[in-house]
Amino acid sequence: MPVFEYAPAPESRAVVDIAPSYGLFIDGEFAEAADGKVFKTVSPATEESLSEVAHAGAEDVDRAVRAARKAFGTWSALPGSERAKYLFRIARIIQERSRELAVLESLDNGKPIRESRDADLPLVAAHFFYYAGWADKLAHAGYGPDPRPLGVAGQVIPWNFPLLMLAWKIAPALATGNTVVLKPAETTPLSALFFADICRQAGLPRGVVNIVTGDGSTGAELVAHPGVDKVAFTGSTEVGKAIARTVAGTRKKLTLELGGKAANIVFDDAPIDQAVEGVIGGIFFNQGHVCCAGSRLLVQESVQDELLDALKRRMRTLRVGDPLDKNTDIGAINSAEQLARIRTLADAGEAEGAERWAPECELPSTGYWFAPTLFTGVTQAHRIAREEIFGPVLSVLTFRTPDEAVAKANNTPYGLSAGIWTEKGSRILAMADKLRAGVIWSNTFNTFDPASPFGGYKESGYGREGGRHGLEAYLDV
Protein backbone atom coordinates (compact mmCIF):
# COMPACT_ATOMS: atom_id res chain seq x y z
CA MET A 1 0.00 0.00 0.00
CA PRO A 2 1.33 3.49 -0.81
CA VAL A 3 2.11 5.72 2.13
CA PHE A 4 0.57 9.17 1.94
CA GLU A 5 2.18 11.97 3.92
CA TYR A 6 0.05 14.51 5.74
CA ALA A 7 0.47 18.08 4.57
CA PRO A 8 0.90 20.58 7.41
CA ALA A 9 -2.46 21.95 8.58
CA PRO A 10 -1.61 24.57 11.19
CA GLU A 11 -4.27 26.59 12.97
CA SER A 12 -3.53 30.31 12.78
CA ARG A 13 -2.10 31.98 15.86
CA ALA A 14 -3.57 35.24 14.62
CA VAL A 15 -6.96 34.43 16.14
CA VAL A 16 -5.61 35.06 19.65
CA ASP A 17 -4.05 38.29 20.85
CA ILE A 18 -1.77 37.66 23.83
CA ALA A 19 -0.76 40.81 25.69
CA PRO A 20 2.88 41.29 26.76
CA SER A 21 1.83 41.23 30.42
CA TYR A 22 -1.17 40.43 32.63
CA GLY A 23 -2.14 41.52 36.11
CA LEU A 24 -4.25 39.83 38.77
CA PHE A 25 -8.02 39.97 38.34
CA ILE A 26 -9.42 41.28 41.60
CA ASP A 27 -12.79 42.98 42.19
CA GLY A 28 -13.48 43.25 38.48
CA GLU A 29 -10.18 44.92 37.54
CA PHE A 30 -6.72 43.82 36.47
CA ALA A 31 -3.97 45.03 38.80
CA GLU A 32 -0.28 44.44 39.43
CA ALA A 33 0.87 42.36 42.39
CA ALA A 34 1.44 44.40 45.51
CA ASP A 35 5.18 43.66 45.48
CA GLY A 36 5.46 43.92 41.68
CA LYS A 37 6.59 40.31 41.38
CA VAL A 38 6.06 38.64 37.96
CA PHE A 39 6.83 35.37 36.16
CA LYS A 40 6.83 34.26 32.53
CA THR A 41 4.56 31.68 30.97
CA VAL A 42 6.25 29.61 28.27
CA SER A 43 4.97 27.64 25.29
CA PRO A 44 6.10 24.03 25.91
CA ALA A 45 6.22 23.31 22.17
CA THR A 46 8.71 26.08 21.35
CA GLU A 47 10.04 27.27 24.73
CA GLU A 48 9.16 30.83 23.71
CA SER A 49 7.92 33.24 26.33
CA LEU A 50 4.24 33.99 25.70
CA SER A 51 3.63 36.66 28.32
CA GLU A 52 4.62 38.05 31.69
CA VAL A 53 2.13 37.41 34.49
CA ALA A 54 1.73 38.94 37.95
CA HIS A 55 2.72 36.73 40.88
CA ALA A 56 0.26 37.11 43.75
CA GLY A 57 1.51 37.24 47.32
CA ALA A 58 -0.28 37.16 50.66
CA GLU A 59 -1.49 40.77 50.36
CA ASP A 60 -2.95 40.13 46.91
CA VAL A 61 -4.71 36.94 48.03
CA ASP A 62 -6.16 38.85 50.96
CA ARG A 63 -7.48 41.57 48.63
CA ALA A 64 -9.06 38.94 46.39
CA VAL A 65 -10.73 37.13 49.29
CA ARG A 66 -12.04 40.42 50.69
CA ALA A 67 -13.45 41.34 47.28
CA ALA A 68 -15.16 37.95 47.04
CA ARG A 69 -16.56 38.35 50.57
CA LYS A 70 -17.91 41.79 49.77
CA ALA A 71 -19.60 40.50 46.61
CA PHE A 72 -21.03 37.41 48.33
CA GLY A 73 -23.89 39.18 50.06
CA THR A 74 -25.34 40.63 46.87
CA TRP A 75 -24.58 37.62 44.67
CA SER A 76 -26.05 35.04 47.06
CA ALA A 77 -29.18 37.15 47.50
CA LEU A 78 -29.96 37.11 43.78
CA PRO A 79 -32.73 34.75 42.71
CA GLY A 80 -31.35 31.61 41.11
CA SER A 81 -32.94 32.59 37.82
CA GLU A 82 -30.86 35.80 37.80
CA ARG A 83 -27.60 33.98 38.56
CA ALA A 84 -28.48 31.57 35.77
CA LYS A 85 -28.61 34.43 33.27
CA TYR A 86 -24.97 35.28 33.96
CA LEU A 87 -23.91 31.65 33.62
CA PHE A 88 -25.80 31.35 30.32
CA ARG A 89 -24.09 34.49 29.06
CA ILE A 90 -20.68 33.14 30.03
CA ALA A 91 -21.43 29.85 28.27
CA ARG A 92 -22.50 31.61 25.08
CA ILE A 93 -19.44 33.86 25.06
CA ILE A 94 -17.20 30.82 25.51
CA GLN A 95 -18.85 29.27 22.48
CA GLU A 96 -18.42 32.46 20.47
CA ARG A 97 -14.74 32.71 21.43
CA SER A 98 -14.04 28.98 21.34
CA ARG A 99 -11.58 29.11 18.43
CA GLU A 100 -9.57 31.85 20.12
CA LEU A 101 -9.58 30.00 23.46
CA ALA A 102 -8.64 26.67 21.86
CA VAL A 103 -5.58 28.18 20.18
CA LEU A 104 -4.61 29.91 23.43
CA GLU A 105 -4.93 26.67 25.38
CA SER A 106 -2.77 24.75 22.91
CA LEU A 107 -0.13 27.47 22.92
CA ASP A 108 0.10 27.71 26.71
CA ASN A 109 -0.46 24.04 27.55
CA GLY A 110 1.01 22.12 24.58
CA LYS A 111 -2.02 19.94 23.88
CA PRO A 112 -3.10 19.26 20.27
CA ILE A 113 -5.52 21.78 18.82
CA ARG A 114 -7.91 18.95 17.89
CA GLU A 115 -8.31 18.16 21.58
CA SER A 116 -8.61 21.72 22.86
CA ARG A 117 -11.00 22.57 20.00
CA ASP A 118 -13.13 19.41 19.91
CA ALA A 119 -13.02 18.18 23.53
CA ASP A 120 -12.02 20.89 26.01
CA LEU A 121 -13.95 23.91 24.74
CA PRO A 122 -17.28 22.16 24.08
CA LEU A 123 -17.14 20.68 27.58
CA VAL A 124 -16.26 24.05 29.13
CA ALA A 125 -19.36 25.66 27.63
CA ALA A 126 -21.47 22.61 28.47
CA HIS A 127 -20.59 22.86 32.17
CA PHE A 128 -21.71 26.48 32.36
CA PHE A 129 -24.92 25.69 30.48
CA TYR A 130 -25.57 22.69 32.73
CA TYR A 131 -25.10 24.51 36.03
CA ALA A 132 -27.00 27.53 34.76
CA GLY A 133 -29.93 25.13 34.56
CA TRP A 134 -29.50 24.14 38.20
CA ALA A 135 -29.25 27.68 39.59
CA ASP A 136 -33.03 28.13 40.09
CA LYS A 137 -33.73 24.46 40.98
CA LEU A 138 -31.51 23.96 44.03
CA ALA A 139 -34.51 23.21 46.23
CA HIS A 140 -35.11 20.14 44.08
CA ALA A 141 -31.52 18.85 44.10
CA GLY A 142 -32.05 16.65 47.14
CA TYR A 143 -30.20 18.81 49.66
CA GLY A 144 -33.18 20.22 51.52
CA PRO A 145 -35.90 22.72 50.60
CA ASP A 146 -33.69 25.81 51.04
CA PRO A 147 -29.99 24.96 50.56
CA ARG A 148 -27.65 27.86 51.25
CA PRO A 149 -24.25 28.73 49.74
CA LEU A 150 -21.10 28.41 51.81
CA GLY A 151 -19.52 31.79 51.07
CA VAL A 152 -16.11 32.30 49.46
CA ALA A 153 -14.65 29.37 47.53
CA GLY A 154 -10.87 29.14 47.16
CA GLN A 155 -10.13 27.01 44.11
CA VAL A 156 -6.75 25.71 42.89
CA ILE A 157 -6.60 24.03 39.48
CA PRO A 158 -3.91 22.09 37.55
CA TRP A 159 -2.18 22.61 34.22
CA ASN A 160 -3.47 19.61 32.28
CA PHE A 161 -6.96 20.98 31.51
CA PRO A 162 -6.69 24.65 32.51
CA LEU A 163 -9.98 25.98 31.16
CA LEU A 164 -11.99 22.79 31.72
CA MET A 165 -10.91 22.50 35.35
CA LEU A 166 -11.83 26.16 35.78
CA ALA A 167 -15.33 25.37 34.48
CA TRP A 168 -15.65 22.33 36.77
CA LYS A 169 -14.89 24.58 39.73
CA ILE A 170 -16.45 27.95 38.95
CA ALA A 171 -19.75 26.91 37.32
CA PRO A 172 -21.25 25.02 40.32
CA ALA A 173 -19.85 27.56 42.78
CA LEU A 174 -21.59 30.47 41.05
CA ALA A 175 -24.80 28.52 40.41
CA THR A 176 -25.16 27.84 44.13
CA GLY A 177 -24.54 31.47 45.11
CA ASN A 178 -20.91 31.38 46.19
CA THR A 179 -18.18 33.76 45.10
CA VAL A 180 -14.76 32.59 43.94
CA VAL A 181 -11.04 33.19 44.20
CA LEU A 182 -9.30 30.91 41.72
CA LYS A 183 -5.60 30.19 41.28
CA PRO A 184 -4.62 28.62 37.95
CA ALA A 185 -1.45 26.57 37.55
CA GLU A 186 1.81 28.49 37.22
CA THR A 187 2.59 27.03 33.78
CA THR A 188 -0.88 27.67 32.28
CA PRO A 189 -2.34 30.94 33.59
CA LEU A 190 -3.48 32.52 30.32
CA SER A 191 -6.86 30.90 29.71
CA ALA A 192 -7.97 31.80 33.25
CA LEU A 193 -7.01 35.42 32.62
CA PHE A 194 -8.92 35.36 29.34
CA PHE A 195 -11.86 33.95 31.28
CA ALA A 196 -11.64 36.98 33.57
CA ASP A 197 -12.22 39.12 30.50
CA ILE A 198 -15.20 36.91 29.60
CA CYS A 199 -16.66 37.59 33.06
CA ARG A 200 -16.44 41.32 32.39
CA GLN A 201 -17.89 40.84 28.92
CA ALA A 202 -20.83 38.96 30.48
CA GLY A 203 -21.41 41.78 32.96
CA LEU A 204 -20.73 39.59 35.98
CA PRO A 205 -20.81 41.74 39.15
CA ARG A 206 -17.45 42.84 40.50
CA GLY A 207 -15.78 40.49 42.95
CA VAL A 208 -17.87 37.43 42.14
CA VAL A 209 -14.91 35.85 40.32
CA ASN A 210 -11.31 36.75 41.16
CA ILE A 211 -8.19 35.25 39.55
CA VAL A 212 -4.85 35.23 41.36
CA THR A 213 -1.87 33.86 39.44
CA GLY A 214 1.34 32.53 40.93
CA ASP A 215 3.11 29.37 42.04
CA GLY A 216 2.48 26.94 44.88
CA SER A 217 3.07 29.61 47.50
CA THR A 218 0.11 31.59 46.13
CA GLY A 219 -2.09 28.50 46.33
CA ALA A 220 -0.94 27.86 49.89
CA GLU A 221 -1.87 31.42 50.90
CA LEU A 222 -5.32 30.98 49.40
CA VAL A 223 -5.95 27.61 51.06
CA ALA A 224 -4.86 28.91 54.47
CA HIS A 225 -6.72 32.23 54.30
CA PRO A 226 -9.23 32.47 57.16
CA GLY A 227 -11.76 34.22 54.92
CA VAL A 228 -12.15 31.17 52.66
CA ASP A 229 -15.15 28.93 53.46
CA LYS A 230 -14.59 26.20 50.89
CA VAL A 231 -11.43 24.80 49.27
CA ALA A 232 -11.48 22.81 46.02
CA PHE A 233 -8.26 21.38 44.64
CA THR A 234 -7.36 19.29 41.62
CA GLY A 235 -3.75 18.17 41.35
CA SER A 236 -1.17 15.81 42.78
CA THR A 237 -1.84 13.55 45.74
CA GLU A 238 1.19 14.95 47.56
CA VAL A 239 -0.13 18.52 47.42
CA GLY A 240 -3.65 17.31 48.21
CA LYS A 241 -2.43 15.75 51.45
CA ALA A 242 -0.71 19.00 52.40
CA ILE A 243 -3.94 20.92 51.75
CA ALA A 244 -5.92 18.44 53.88
CA ARG A 245 -3.47 19.00 56.74
CA THR A 246 -3.85 22.78 56.39
CA VAL A 247 -7.64 22.65 56.39
CA ALA A 248 -7.92 20.06 59.19
CA GLY A 249 -9.46 21.52 62.33
CA THR A 250 -11.02 24.50 60.54
CA ARG A 251 -14.62 25.03 59.45
CA LYS A 252 -13.61 24.92 55.78
CA LYS A 253 -15.29 22.42 53.50
CA LEU A 254 -12.87 20.54 51.24
CA THR A 255 -12.98 18.52 48.03
CA LEU A 256 -9.89 16.91 46.52
CA GLU A 257 -9.50 15.36 43.06
CA LEU A 258 -6.03 13.88 43.00
CA GLY A 259 -3.87 11.34 41.19
CA GLY A 260 -4.74 8.06 39.53
CA LYS A 261 -3.29 4.85 38.14
CA ALA A 262 -6.30 3.53 36.27
CA ALA A 263 -6.61 -0.02 35.00
CA ASN A 264 -7.97 -0.53 31.48
CA ILE A 265 -9.14 -4.16 31.51
CA VAL A 266 -9.51 -6.04 28.20
CA PHE A 267 -11.19 -9.47 28.23
CA ASP A 268 -10.82 -12.14 25.56
CA ASP A 269 -14.28 -11.45 24.10
CA ALA A 270 -13.68 -7.73 23.64
CA PRO A 271 -13.77 -6.24 20.12
CA ILE A 272 -10.02 -5.83 19.64
CA ASP A 273 -10.03 -2.85 17.27
CA GLN A 274 -12.48 -0.96 19.46
CA ALA A 275 -10.48 -1.82 22.58
CA VAL A 276 -7.25 -0.62 20.94
CA GLU A 277 -8.82 2.75 20.20
CA GLY A 278 -9.97 2.93 23.80
CA VAL A 279 -6.50 2.09 25.08
CA ILE A 280 -4.93 4.71 22.79
CA GLY A 281 -7.40 7.36 23.91
CA GLY A 282 -7.07 6.26 27.51
CA ILE A 283 -3.33 6.86 27.78
CA PHE A 284 -2.22 9.09 24.91
CA PHE A 285 -5.03 11.66 25.04
CA ASN A 286 -3.51 14.97 26.22
CA GLN A 287 -0.03 13.35 26.23
CA GLY A 288 -1.13 11.20 29.17
CA HIS A 289 -1.55 14.34 31.27
CA VAL A 290 -4.84 13.00 32.64
CA CYS A 291 -5.41 12.01 36.26
CA CYS A 292 -7.85 9.29 35.17
CA ALA A 293 -5.62 8.05 32.32
CA GLY A 294 -5.70 4.32 31.64
CA SER A 295 -2.01 3.95 32.37
CA ARG A 296 -2.21 0.25 33.29
CA LEU A 297 -3.44 -2.08 30.55
CA LEU A 298 -4.67 -5.38 31.98
CA VAL A 299 -5.18 -7.82 29.10
CA GLN A 300 -6.41 -11.41 29.31
CA GLU A 301 -3.54 -13.77 28.47
CA SER A 302 -5.32 -15.53 25.58
CA VAL A 303 -5.57 -12.31 23.54
CA GLN A 304 -2.38 -10.61 24.72
CA ASP A 305 -0.39 -11.16 21.53
CA GLU A 306 -3.25 -10.19 19.23
CA LEU A 307 -4.02 -7.03 21.17
CA LEU A 308 -0.37 -5.96 21.48
CA ASP A 309 0.21 -6.44 17.74
CA ALA A 310 -2.81 -4.28 16.96
CA LEU A 311 -1.81 -1.72 19.58
CA LYS A 312 1.70 -1.35 18.17
CA ARG A 313 0.33 -0.97 14.63
CA ARG A 314 -1.95 1.80 15.87
CA MET A 315 0.83 3.52 17.83
CA ARG A 316 2.95 3.69 14.68
CA THR A 317 0.30 5.96 13.14
CA LEU A 318 0.33 8.50 15.98
CA ARG A 319 1.75 11.87 14.98
CA VAL A 320 3.83 13.78 17.52
CA GLY A 321 4.54 17.44 16.88
CA ASP A 322 3.22 20.98 16.58
CA PRO A 323 0.16 21.30 18.85
CA LEU A 324 -1.39 23.81 16.45
CA ASP A 325 -1.29 21.35 13.55
CA LYS A 326 -4.72 19.75 13.12
CA ASN A 327 -3.06 16.42 12.21
CA THR A 328 -1.18 16.18 15.50
CA ASP A 329 -2.18 13.38 17.88
CA ILE A 330 0.34 13.96 20.67
CA GLY A 331 1.56 17.43 21.56
CA ALA A 332 4.24 18.75 23.86
CA ILE A 333 4.85 17.76 27.47
CA ASN A 334 3.74 20.69 29.61
CA SER A 335 7.06 21.59 31.22
CA ALA A 336 10.71 20.62 31.52
CA GLU A 337 10.03 19.48 35.10
CA GLN A 338 7.27 17.11 34.00
CA LEU A 339 9.38 15.78 31.13
CA ALA A 340 12.18 15.00 33.58
CA ARG A 341 9.77 13.02 35.78
CA ILE A 342 8.47 11.02 32.82
CA ARG A 343 12.01 10.19 31.71
CA THR A 344 13.01 9.16 35.24
CA LEU A 345 10.12 6.74 35.62
CA ALA A 346 10.53 5.33 32.11
CA ASP A 347 14.21 4.70 32.78
CA ALA A 348 13.24 3.02 36.06
CA GLY A 349 10.93 0.69 34.14
CA GLU A 350 13.83 -0.47 31.97
CA ALA A 351 16.18 -0.76 34.92
CA GLU A 352 13.68 -2.97 36.76
CA GLY A 353 13.44 -5.38 33.81
CA ALA A 354 10.35 -4.32 31.86
CA GLU A 355 10.64 -4.29 28.06
CA ARG A 356 10.31 -0.82 26.55
CA TRP A 357 8.89 -0.19 23.07
CA ALA A 358 8.11 3.00 21.16
CA PRO A 359 7.42 3.56 17.46
CA GLU A 360 10.01 5.32 15.33
CA CYS A 361 9.30 8.95 15.98
CA GLU A 362 11.15 12.11 15.03
CA LEU A 363 10.74 14.59 17.84
CA PRO A 364 11.07 18.38 17.36
CA SER A 365 14.45 19.84 18.30
CA THR A 366 13.00 22.51 20.60
CA GLY A 367 10.35 22.18 23.26
CA TYR A 368 9.48 19.33 25.60
CA TRP A 369 8.63 16.03 23.92
CA PHE A 370 8.26 12.35 24.74
CA ALA A 371 7.38 9.61 22.27
CA PRO A 372 4.37 7.35 22.97
CA THR A 373 5.79 4.38 24.87
CA LEU A 374 4.58 1.03 26.15
CA PHE A 375 6.16 -1.43 28.56
CA THR A 376 5.57 -5.19 28.55
CA GLY A 377 6.77 -7.73 31.08
CA VAL A 378 5.54 -5.40 33.83
CA THR A 379 4.82 -6.73 37.33
CA GLN A 380 2.83 -5.10 40.10
CA ALA A 381 6.09 -4.38 41.90
CA HIS A 382 7.46 -2.14 39.15
CA ARG A 383 7.43 1.60 39.83
CA ILE A 384 5.82 2.20 36.43
CA ALA A 385 2.88 0.05 37.57
CA ARG A 386 2.56 1.78 40.94
CA GLU A 387 3.44 5.46 40.47
CA GLU A 388 1.53 8.01 38.45
CA ILE A 389 3.74 8.94 35.50
CA PHE A 390 1.40 11.56 34.04
CA GLY A 391 2.79 11.11 30.56
CA PRO A 392 2.33 9.01 27.39
CA VAL A 393 3.60 5.78 28.97
CA LEU A 394 1.54 2.57 29.13
CA SER A 395 2.32 -0.42 31.36
CA VAL A 396 0.96 -3.78 30.19
CA LEU A 397 0.07 -6.53 32.67
CA THR A 398 -1.84 -9.77 32.07
CA PHE A 399 -4.50 -11.77 33.89
CA ARG A 400 -6.25 -15.12 33.48
CA THR A 401 -9.52 -14.82 35.44
CA PRO A 402 -11.89 -11.96 36.29
CA ASP A 403 -10.96 -12.28 39.97
CA GLU A 404 -7.27 -11.86 39.11
CA ALA A 405 -8.13 -8.78 37.03
CA VAL A 406 -10.03 -7.26 39.95
CA ALA A 407 -7.20 -8.00 42.38
CA LYS A 408 -4.60 -6.42 40.12
CA ALA A 409 -6.78 -3.43 39.23
CA ASN A 410 -7.44 -2.69 42.92
CA ASN A 411 -3.81 -3.19 43.92
CA THR A 412 -3.04 0.52 43.95
CA PRO A 413 -3.27 3.36 46.46
CA TYR A 414 -5.37 5.23 43.91
CA GLY A 415 -9.02 4.79 42.96
CA LEU A 416 -10.09 7.35 40.41
CA SER A 417 -11.17 5.42 37.32
CA ALA A 418 -11.16 2.13 35.43
CA GLY A 419 -12.21 0.73 32.06
CA ILE A 420 -13.80 -2.63 31.18
CA TRP A 421 -13.80 -4.09 27.66
CA THR A 422 -16.07 -7.09 27.08
CA GLU A 423 -19.18 -8.04 25.14
CA LYS A 424 -20.91 -9.45 28.25
CA GLY A 425 -23.11 -6.94 30.05
CA SER A 426 -23.30 -9.18 33.11
CA ARG A 427 -19.49 -9.21 33.33
CA ILE A 428 -19.38 -5.39 33.09
CA LEU A 429 -21.80 -5.06 36.02
CA ALA A 430 -20.06 -7.74 38.08
CA MET A 431 -16.64 -6.17 37.54
CA ALA A 432 -17.85 -2.63 38.16
CA ASP A 433 -19.30 -3.74 41.50
CA LYS A 434 -15.89 -5.01 42.64
CA LEU A 435 -13.57 -2.29 41.30
CA ARG A 436 -12.67 0.40 43.82
CA ALA A 437 -12.78 3.35 41.46
CA GLY A 438 -14.99 6.41 41.36
CA VAL A 439 -15.58 6.34 37.60
CA ILE A 440 -15.83 3.11 35.60
CA TRP A 441 -16.22 3.13 31.83
CA SER A 442 -17.51 0.17 29.85
CA ASN A 443 -16.30 -0.28 26.26
CA THR A 444 -15.12 3.33 26.21
CA PHE A 445 -12.65 5.52 28.10
CA ASN A 446 -12.21 9.21 28.96
CA THR A 447 -15.84 9.98 28.18
CA PHE A 448 -17.16 12.96 30.13
CA ASP A 449 -20.47 14.73 30.55
CA PRO A 450 -21.33 17.66 32.84
CA ALA A 451 -24.34 15.73 34.19
CA SER A 452 -22.13 12.84 35.36
CA PRO A 453 -20.31 13.03 38.72
CA PHE A 454 -16.53 12.55 38.77
CA GLY A 455 -14.23 11.75 41.68
CA GLY A 456 -12.26 9.02 43.38
CA TYR A 457 -11.51 6.83 46.38
CA LYS A 458 -8.43 6.33 48.53
CA GLU A 459 -5.51 8.57 47.51
CA SER A 460 -7.44 9.83 44.49
CA GLY A 461 -9.30 12.18 46.81
CA TYR A 462 -12.85 12.66 48.01
CA GLY A 463 -15.92 14.59 46.99
CA ARG A 464 -17.53 14.69 43.56
CA GLU A 465 -17.53 17.25 40.77
CA GLY A 466 -20.10 17.34 38.00
CA GLY A 467 -23.77 16.45 37.97
CA ARG A 468 -26.19 17.00 40.83
CA HIS A 469 -23.54 15.59 43.17
CA GLY A 470 -21.24 18.50 42.29
CA LEU A 471 -23.66 20.96 43.88
CA GLU A 472 -23.31 19.49 47.37
CA ALA A 473 -19.70 20.63 47.75
CA TYR A 474 -20.82 24.26 47.49
CA LEU A 475 -23.92 24.08 49.69
CA ASP A 476 -24.33 24.23 53.47
CA VAL A 477 -25.94 20.80 53.90
Side-chain angles (χ1 to χ4, degrees):
M1 293 289 291
V3 177
F4 296 98
E5 291 296 325
Y6 285 90
E11 176 63 271
S12 173
R13 290 183 57 164
V15 300
V16 58
D17 183 18
I18 300 176
S21 64
Y22 288 93
L24 311 169
F25 185 70
I26 299 175
D27 200 22
E29 300 291 339
F30 285 99
E32 294 181 1
D35 60 4
K37 193 175 178 181
V38 296
F39 65 97
K40 293 184 184 297
T41 183
V42 172
S43 169
T46 62
E47 300 180 59
E48 66 175 302
S49 175
L50 296 173
S51 186
E52 193 174 73
V53 181
H55 187 293
E59 184 178 339
D60 304 302
V61 170
D62 183 64
R63 279 196 300 129
V65 172
R66 289 179 184 275
R69 177 65 60 192
K70 181 181 177 182
F72 173 69
T74 304
W75 179 251
S76 60
L78 284 177
S81 58
E82 290 301 310
R83 292 198 302 271
K85 291 178 182 177
Y86 289 104
L87 289 170
F88 274 123
R89 280 185 213 141
I90 289 170
R92 287 195 295 268
I93 294 169
I94 288 169
Q95 286 183 321
E96 292 165 2
R97 299 178 61 175
S98 62
R99 186 182 178 198
E100 170 194 8
L101 294 169
V103 172
L104 177 72
E105 200 81 317
S106 290
L107 281 171
D108 203 22
N109 171 276
K111 66 175 61 190
I113 186 67
R114 285 194 299 113
E115 294 178 7
S116 57
R117 179 194 65 193
D118 300 340
D120 292 29
L121 263 299
L123 277 171
V124 170
H127 274 80
F128 280 99
F129 277 126
Y130 176 79
Y131 281 109
W134 268 116
D136 63 347
K137 304 174 186 67
L138 298 177
H140 308 287
Y143 303 117
D146 187 30
R148 309 301 300 166
L150 294 169
V152 176
Q155 303 174 327
V156 181
I157 59 174
W159 45 258
N160 56 336
F161 292 94
L163 201 54
L164 183 57
M165 292 298 100
L166 176 150
W168 280 26
K169 299 286 189 291
I170 290 182
L174 298 193
T176 49
N178 299 275
T179 53
V180 165
V181 180
L182 179 132
K183 192 205 85 73
E186 180 183 7
T187 60
T188 54
L190 293 183
S191 54
L193 295 169
F194 272 56
F195 179 79
D197 184 59
I198 288 172
C199 290
R200 294 204 299 191
Q201 190 178 345
L204 193 71
R206 296 164 65 101
V208 172
V209 169
N210 305 272
I211 309 289
V212 290
T213 48
D215 59 13
S217 64
T218 306
E221 291 287 349
L222 178 58
V223 167
H225 196 287
V228 169
D229 302 293
K230 151 75 182 175
V231 174
F233 172 75
T234 296
S236 71
T237 297
E238 180 184 5
V239 175
K241 289 178 178 178
I243 289 173
R245 287 191 290 268
T246 299
V247 171
T250 72
R251 58 179 172 73
K252 296 175 184 177
K253 202 167 182 177
L254 175 65
T255 52
L256 298 172
E257 195 266 279
L258 308 175
K261 195 68 181 174
N264 216 350
I265 306 168
V266 181
F267 284 92
D268 57 5
D269 64 337
I272 294 297
D273 289 341
Q274 181 182 342
V276 164
E277 289 305 310
V279 172
I280 291 288
I283 185 59
F284 300 127
F285 174 67
N286 199 34
Q287 298 78 254
H289 297 336
V290 186
C291 48
C292 56
S295 54
R296 289 184 298 151
L297 172 59
L298 271 60
V299 56
Q300 200 154 16
E301 282 186 3
S302 57
V303 293
Q304 177 189 11
D305 292 342
E306 181 184 1
L307 184 127
L308 285 178
D309 287 345
L311 182 58
K312 288 180 179 179
R313 283 197 304 273
R314 182 66 177 88
M315 287 176 64
R316 289 188 181 97
T317 70
L318 296 175
R319 297 174 60 83
V320 181
D322 180 8
L324 290 184
D325 192 315
K326 302 179 190 72
N327 296 318
T328 295
D329 297 300
I330 298 177
I333 302 302
N334 181 255
S335 66
E337 180 184 11
Q338 184 58 30
L339 178 59
R341 172 173 173 77
I342 296 168
R343 286 173 172 166
T344 296
L345 285 170
D347 290 345
E350 278 191 293
E352 292 176 354
E355 185 176 343
R356 180 175 183 168
W357 183 88
E360 291 186 12
C361 184
E362 184 178 347
L363 301 178
S365 57
T366 58
Y368 315 125
W369 307 92
F370 196 89
T373 300
L374 78 86
F375 280 93
T376 53
V378 179
T379 72
Q380 297 178 82
H382 282 124
R383 286 182 67 190
I384 54 173
R386 292 184 289 109
E387 298 183 28
E388 185 179 38
I389 300 175
F390 222 62
V393 179
L394 178 65
S395 297
V396 182
L397 299 93
T398 62
F399 67 91
R400 293 182 179 179
T401 67
D403 286 343
E404 184 183 357
V406 169
K408 287 186 174 180
N410 288 340
N411 185 23
T412 173
Y414 299 108
L416 189 55
S417 63
I420 305 166
W421 298 84
T422 176
E423 287 190 345
K424 295 182 175 67
S426 58
R427 178 180 283 164
I428 290 170
L429 295 174
M431 290 288 293
D433 188 53
K434 297 173 183 176
L435 294 172
R436 292 295 294 163
V439 179
I440 299 172
W441 288 290
S442 60
N443 294 324
T444 188
F445 209 92
N446 277 343
T447 301
F448 301 96
D449 188 280
S452 178
F454 183 89
Y457 296 105
K458 299 186 284 186
E459 291 193 8
S460 289
Y462 47 80
R464 294 294 181 265
E465 295 181 301
R468 180 184 65 84
H469 302 72
L471 297 167
E472 182 181 7
Y474 292 94
L475 293 171
D476 186 10
V477 296

